[in-house]
Amino acid sequence: MSSTSFFIARRIYQSDRRVSRPASLISVTGITVGLAVMFISIAVIIGFKSEVRNKITGFASHIQVTDINVASHYNQDPLYISDSLLYTLAGNQAIAKIQRYSVKPGMIKTQDAFQGIMLKGVGPEYDTTFFHRHMLEGRLPAFSDTVASNSVVISKSMADKLKLKVGDKIDTYFIQGNIRIRRLYVAGIYQTNLTEYDNLYLLTDLFLVNRLNNWNKSQASGLELELVDDSNLDETTWLLANRLGKQYCVRNMKQLNPQIFSWLNILDMNIWVILALMTGVAGFTIIAGLLIIIIEHTAMIGILKSLGAPSKLIRHIFLWLSVFLVGRGMVWGNVIGIAFYLIQRTSGILRLNPENYYMDTVPVSFSLPAFLFLNIGTLIISVLMLIGPSYLIAHIKPTTAMRYE
């Protein structure tokens, strides 16, 4: 029975009937538009979340380890980086990189403006890949823990506000008992469009910040831990906190940036809303197309029934026909979606306001599991939605249907 229904459905699909073609076109167009919109929406949202996460990780890594007092009140209590602490962290296979950092709040003052800052010092082990990727002008200084370079890297937004350029000297002020002034020069300018960090942080060497804090080489504000895989970030943070003990504060990037990640979590709900809406639109479109095709083939249904064909076989014919139409629509939907992904990925033709969205182009990302889930889910849901309307065939009487032409 299955081969017979498949054969007849294929013949109907391949026939060139004037009445069926508009109905088929409506069905195919609905699936095409629905799948393309869903593909593009998922690619953009996944790309957006990935881009924001990568920028936050680039600034502060996945996990930070600090002194426990830093979490309880605002102060500058240093973390003593002992050999036992480093040995414990190095033995954790989930950790890919360990890097020290020290921070010092202060202020930049020029002739025309002033700006509150957080001077961040890093050591020679610091991974500079992120900042190299976002450098606009100048260069990164040699980050050292034994000598001060007296140079900093600032963001473009800060440089524009303070009217600074590469090579300029700036006066920085730090308060710790008394006012301490340091004259630094701008070695480079970066731009990440992550305003919470761009408007605050200056990057320099670890030795300079430790000297401002009156700390020795074995002290720092904390350690930044880069993980091999951040898919189990919360679990890894909890296990690491238990292993290190109560004298340390272990926080991940979600805990350090709750507002940003709460906003990103809202985007997950947007994905499901878009999927539900577009699946409904595509499903009802294919249902309308199927009903038109059934009505157009009423005479054929009557002939098949008069020859003894059961309603189940005839229903399978039109369900197979629907699968062909859904498949063609899915092919075109994937073509449109992948074409958009490739064009946007290579040219960045769609732009964004970086002040609101943390980036200047619409980000896109291709996820194979999401792609397969979207296609398989669209096919299954579309066919399931057609099972009910296909029972209309059982109510068509052969005597009436054969006179319908």
Side-chain angles (χ1 to χ4, degrees):
M1 182 180 293
S2 177
S3 60
T4 303
S5 58
F6 178 84
F7 173 78
I8 298 175
R10 187 177 62 179
R11 293 297 300 270
I12 296 174
Y13 177 74
Q14 294 174 346
S15 65
D16 185 17
R17 299 179 63 91
R18 295 183 178 180
V19 180
S20 298
R21 290 187 65 190
S24 301
L25 182 61
I26 292 173
S27 302
V28 172
T29 301
I31 295 295
T32 299
V33 173
L35 185 61
V37 170
M38 289 188 289
F39 181 95
I40 293 171
S41 300
I42 291 178
V44 171
I45 291 178
I46 292 178
F48 185 82
K49 293 181 66 175
S50 176
E51 188 70 16
V52 173
R53 287 174 65 95
N54 289 340
K55 288 185 177 183
I56 294 175
T57 304
F59 268 108
S61 240
H62 295 109
I63 296 176
Q64 288 186 357
V65 179
T66 60
D67 185 89
I68 188 63
N69 291 324
V70 174
S72 59
H73 62 278
Y74 182 78
N75 59 22
Q76 287 293 307
D77 289 351
L79 173 71
Y80 177 67
I81 305 176
S82 62
D83 292 338
S84 61
L85 174 61
L86 293 177
Y87 179 80
T88 301
L89 295 175
N92 193 319
Q93 296 182 352
I95 300 174
K97 187 178 292 293
I98 305 170
Q99 47 196 31
R100 299 164 294 166
Y101 76 95
S102 292
V103 293
K104 181 72 174 178
M107 183 182 70
I108 295 178
K109 185 178 182 302
T110 65
Q111 293 181 351
D112 302 320
F114 64 91
Q115 171 77 39
I117 62 168
M118 184 69 73
L119 189 65
K120 179 178 180 179
V122 295
E125 74 277 8
Y126 187 77
D127 186 359
T128 59
T129 303
F130 174 77
F131 281 96
H132 272 119
R133 190 165 59 246
H134 291 90
M135 287 292 291
L136 297 179
E137 303 176 51
R139 59 174 180 82
L140 289 173
F143 299 125
S144 174
D145 57 0
T146 57
V147 62
S149 64
N150 292 321
S151 59
V152 294
V153 179
I154 67 175
S155 68
K156 184 178 185 302
S157 59
M158 191 178 296
D160 291 342
K161 180 178 180 180
L162 300 176
K163 299 179 181 178
L164 298 173
K165 60 183 183 296
V166 173
D168 285 353
K169 294 182 179 180
I170 55 176
D171 291 325
T172 56
Y173 300 80
F174 305 94
I175 300 176
Q176 187 173 346
N178 57 355
I179 298 177
R180 306 178 67 177
I181 304 175
R182 287 291 182 274
R183 172 160 289 186
L184 309 173
Y185 79 91
V186 179
I189 297 175
Y190 70 90
Q191 182 180 19
T192 69
N193 295 318
L194 198 62
T195 55
E196 282 81 356
Y197 289 88
D198 283 2
N199 293 335
L200 183 63
Y201 281 91
L202 278 71
L203 198 65
T204 187
D205 56 82
L206 184 67
F207 182 82
L208 172 61
V209 180
N210 275 359
R211 190 169 65 174
L212 289 171
N213 285 324
N214 295 320
W215 294 345
N216 58 45
K217 188 177 180 180
S218 62
Q219 294 176 313
S221 294
L223 296 173
E224 293 179 345
L225 310 180
E226 182 180 332
L227 302 182
V228 177
D229 180 15
D230 65 348
S231 59
N232 296 318
L233 180 62
D234 293 329
E235 181 182 354
T236 303
T237 304
W238 184 81
L239 292 174
L240 192 60
N242 283 342
R243 186 181 181 99
L244 292 181
K246 296 182 178 180
Q247 68 269 33
Y248 299 105
C249 175
V250 182
R251 292 175 293 179
N252 59 43
M253 59 182 180
K254 293 181 181 179
Q255 296 165 334
L256 294 168
N257 303 275
Q259 298 88 351
I260 294 178
F261 281 92
S262 295
W263 175 46
L264 293 180
N265 289 334
I266 296 176
L267 297 180
D268 292 334
M269 180 60 67
N270 293 344
I271 290 180
W272 291 110
V273 170
I274 292 172
L275 291 180
L277 290 175
M278 297 314 301
T279 301
V281 171
F284 284 112
T285 302
I286 194 71
I287 288 174
L290 176 63
L291 292 176
I292 295 174
I293 294 173
I294 290 175
I295 294 173
E296 199 279 330
H297 290 87
T298 302
M300 185 197 74
I301 295 172
I303 294 173
L304 289 174
K305 283 193 171 185
S306 66
L307 294 175
S311 296
K312 182 178 180 180
L313 183 143
I314 302 175
R315 283 197 306 109
H316 286 175
I317 291 173
F318 286 94
L319 287 177
W320 273 117
L321 179 58
S322 301
V323 171
F324 295 151
L325 296 176
V326 171
R328 188 167 71 179
M330 290 175 58
V331 169
W332 283 110
N334 284 318
V335 168
I336 294 173
I338 294 175
F340 169 84
Y341 165 79
L342 294 175
I343 293 172
Q344 182 62 23
R345 185 81 174 180
T346 54
S347 65
I349 191 171
L350 297 181
R351 313 292 293 181
L352 292 172
N353 183 353
E355 295 182 0
N356 298 326
Y357 296 99
Y358 300 136
M359 55 203 75
D360 53 4
T361 61
V362 174
V364 289
S365 178
F366 180 81
S367 171
L368 182 59
F371 175 79
L372 296 176
F373 169 79
L374 189 60
N375 280 271
I376 296 173
T378 299
L379 178 61
I380 293 175
I381 293 175
S382 298
V383 174
L384 289 176
M385 293 180 69
L386 293 170
I387 292 177
S390 68
Y391 279 95
L392 176 65
I393 295 170
H395 299 283
I396 299 177
K397 298 180 180 180
T399 55
T400 305
M402 293 177 66
R403 294 198 302 266
Y404 183 85
E405 186 65 42

